[in-house]
Amino acid sequence: MARIITVGAAQLGPIARNDSRADVINRLIDLMKQAKSVGCDLIVFPELALTTFFPRWYMENQVEIDAFFETEMPGTETRPLFELSAHLGIGFYLGYAELTIEKGQTRRYNTSILVNKSGQIIGKYRKIHVPGHIEYKPEQTFQHLERRYFDIGNLGFQVWRAFDGIIGMCICNDRRWSETYRVMGLQNVEMILIGYSTPQETHLSQFHNHLVMQDGAYQNATWVVGVAKAGREEGCDLIGGSAIIAPSGEIVAKSITLGDELIVARCNLDLCQPLSNFEIYRQPQYYQAICEQKSVTSEDV
């Protein structure tokens, strides 16, 4: 019997700087209810889904900065989303800004979590490919200060057995780099969940957005679910273009608006059976050879 996950990609339109957590959570709750009404097992929200994309502003006041971060998950304001997840029996992926203490030091990460149908966190990822710059650049119309506000993720590219499959996570700029997909592919990943908040920088922005996700899906025989922030948010145009992509590299569902929108696909995980010689090249000997720059013979695999 085919292993089917019905997935909802929950694109979000603009979030204003002064929108409260409660306002945003209500929007997520509405999308979760829509997803459940059409039979979704899993709903995927974007990167930094609880606030506006605050790294576009240069800030020096740490109290002002930390107001965008979550110190616990779930917390008082986000708990209703977890409670609804458990009540409806639907899992979710959520991107947010995480503030935590590690070995006595305060750390701040661009984070995503995977939550099961019982409303329990079963996986966490912290963004590794953190883009942008640290100091203010007056010559730029928009700042991109992620490196000012976020530490580099320290959890690696893990996968989790959930929803009758093998699920991986990454965030935004991670999707640009082949090693993101490759490391999870070597762990036999069957679906990669990606939240992003990407500005419309050139006429090629949307083309490149889909290109890298389709390429990652095809080369690693995995489903990819890419979910965007979209629309004109605080003067910055975000590309949207949320998409659910099959292991063949084909887009099977895509958003058509720049606002809150749910797109849905029934994803057969059995289609992830490696195509052509993919199974051979997923062997860990190849990855070790890449890292150590040594040769691999056919007897090794």
Side-chain angles (χ1 to χ4, degrees):
M1 185 173 180
R3 292 175 299 135
I4 304 292
I5 302 180
T6 301
V7 177
Q11 179 172 285
L12 288 176
I15 298 175
R17 188 169 184 172
N18 61 357
D19 282 349
S20 70
R21 293 288 199 286
D23 290 337
V24 178
I25 290 295
N26 284 335
R27 289 166 63 181
L28 303 187
I29 283 173
D30 286 344
L31 287 161
M32 184 175 281
K33 289 178 178 177
Q34 288 180 44
K36 182 60 181 180
S37 72
V38 293
C40 288
D41 302 293
L42 172 67
I43 182 171
V44 183
F45 296 111
E47 174 188 29
L48 297 179
L50 300 177
T51 68
T52 194
F53 189 77
F54 65 89
R56 67 171 61 96
W57 291 292
Y58 179 83
M59 296 175 282
E60 295 181 321
N61 184 326
Q62 198 61 56
V63 173
E64 181 183 14
I65 295 166
D66 287 347
F68 291 100
F69 285 77
E70 312 302 316
T71 57
E72 58 180 342
M73 187 60 70
T76 302
E77 293 169 306
T78 54
R79 194 171 305 280
L81 192 65
F82 288 78
E83 292 173 346
L84 182 64
S85 164
H87 175 70
L88 296 178
I90 182 173
F92 65 93
Y93 161 113
L94 177 71
Y96 65 98
E98 177 194 13
L99 190 156
T100 188
I101 306 297
E102 294 180 333
K103 298 180 180 178
Q105 291 189 315
T106 300
R107 298 294 186 191
R108 297 170 180 85
Y109 297 106
N110 190 336
T111 296
S112 63
I113 50 172
L114 181 63
V115 177
N116 67 15
K117 291 184 177 184
S118 298
Q120 302 297 313
I121 297 172
I122 58 173
K124 177 182 283 189
Y125 169 76
R126 291 167 174 163
K127 188 173 182 178
I128 290 173
H129 298 98
V130 179
H133 47 95
I134 296 173
E135 298 301 332
Y136 182 74
K137 293 188 175 182
E139 72 278 6
Q140 293 190 184
T141 304
F142 296 105
Q143 303 299 307
H144 195 158
L145 292 152
E146 281 192 64
R147 284 182 173 264
R148 182 175 182 83
Y149 302 127
F150 294 114
D151 293 297
I152 293 171
N154 59 358
L155 299 178
F157 291 110
Q158 302 179 57
V159 299
W160 294 268
R161 294 189 177 276
F163 305 97
D164 200 28
I166 303 174
I167 311 297
M169 295 188 283
C170 63
I171 299 173
C172 199
N173 190 46
D174 291 319
R175 76 194 190 281
R176 308 286 186 187
W177 311 103
S178 58
E179 60 267 27
T180 297
Y181 305 92
R182 180 68 167 159
V183 172
M184 288 186 275
L186 288 165
Q187 300 172 77
N188 297 312
V189 73
E190 295 175 314
M191 179 175 285
I192 298 175
L193 313 178
I194 308 172
Y196 62 93
S197 298
T198 300
Q200 181 72 46
E201 295 181 300
T202 75
H203 69 287
L204 293 173
S205 295
Q206 191 63 266
F207 168 72
H208 289 151
N209 172 47
H210 290 143
L211 174 68
V212 292
M213 293 193 292
Q214 290 177 261
D215 183 56
Y218 170 66
Q219 288 193 347
N220 294 277
T222 182
W223 288 89
V224 169
V225 183
V227 186
K229 284 269 202 75
R232 190 164 184 79
E233 184 179 270
E234 296 288 0
C236 180
D237 291 313
L238 301 175
I239 61 173
S242 300
I244 300 174
I245 301 163
S248 61
E250 298 168 284
I251 294 176
V252 299
K254 185 170 67 173
S255 64
I256 58 173
T257 75
L258 292 175
D260 290 11
E261 180 183 354
L262 181 73
I263 60 172
V264 177
R266 295 181 76 253
C267 303
N268 182 354
L269 297 182
D270 290 337
L271 295 178
C272 297
Q273 296 301 318
L275 308 173
S276 186
N277 288 323
F278 286 9
E279 187 172 13
I280 294 175
Y281 301 118
R282 275 182 165 176
Q283 297 301 313
Q285 292 93 330
Y286 279 91
Y287 183 61
Q288 183 178 0
I290 292 167
C291 293
E292 298 180 0
Q293 296 184 342
K294 69 178 185 179
S295 62
V296 176
T297 69
S298 58
E299 287 77 20
D300 292 325
V301 296

